[in-house]
Amino acid sequence: MRSVIVTGMHRSGTSLVAGIMKRLVSAPDMDQLESDAANPKGYHESPLILRYNEDLLAESGGSWSAPPHIAYDRAGIASHPDLEQTRQLLGLNSNAETPYVLKDPRFSLLLPVWDRLL
């Protein structure tokens, strides 16, 4: 089973889709953002991955609300040259038997980076 990335605009139903996908593939629970009044059933987002994505965007001169121009062939590689080390830092097991369901609206800006990581 390969990992699944759920991405889309904020407030577009991605949390619902991520929650359903996690149940369908029996994905392991990762550290998750706490639910709140804006999303009482949970965001299904990892704080580590969210921070990593925000750092990648900032290193490229932007943010989720002001996307930068990113050289996708090099994005994220300068700050984390060892992909396996980055996977470990983010709590991702490289074992292909373990499916992950990862969700973050920032993935829509960073899919080429995540394609390399996963």
Side-chain angles (χ1 to χ4, degrees):
M1 173 66 189
R2 301 202 68 180
S3 296
V4 175
I5 290 181
V6 178
T7 190
M9 295 297 295
H10 294 275
R11 311 303 304 162
S12 66
T14 54
S15 295
L16 173 70
V17 171
I20 291 169
M21 290 300 300
K22 284 175 69 175
R23 286 186 210 103
L24 285 174
V25 301
S26 300
D29 284 330
M30 297 177 71
D31 185 27
Q32 301 288 306
L33 292 175
E34 295 291 324
S35 60
D36 59 22
N39 204 337
K41 293 188 178 184
Y43 290 91
H44 301 284
E45 292 180 29
S46 162
L48 284 174
I49 290 173
L50 184 148
R51 194 170 318 118
Y52 178 76
N53 285 342
E54 286 182 342
D55 288 348
L56 281 178
L57 291 169
E59 288 171 11
S60 300
S63 67
W64 71 267
S65 61
H69 173 73
I70 298 175
Y72 286 116
D73 59 330
R74 294 179 301 165
I77 303 306
S79 59
H80 300 288
D82 182 347
L83 292 178
E84 187 58 36
Q85 178 185 14
T86 302
R87 289 182 198 102
Q88 295 298 320
L89 288 170
L90 297 174
L92 301 172
N93 184 337
S94 61
N95 180 353
E97 299 298 316
T98 304
Y100 288 99
V101 175
L102 307 174
K103 180 251 182 187
D104 185 347
R106 293 155 196 83
F107 286 146
S108 60
L109 302 172
L110 299 167
L111 276 176
V113 174
W114 281 92
D115 186 43
R116 293 176 78 178
L117 279 170
L118 298 175

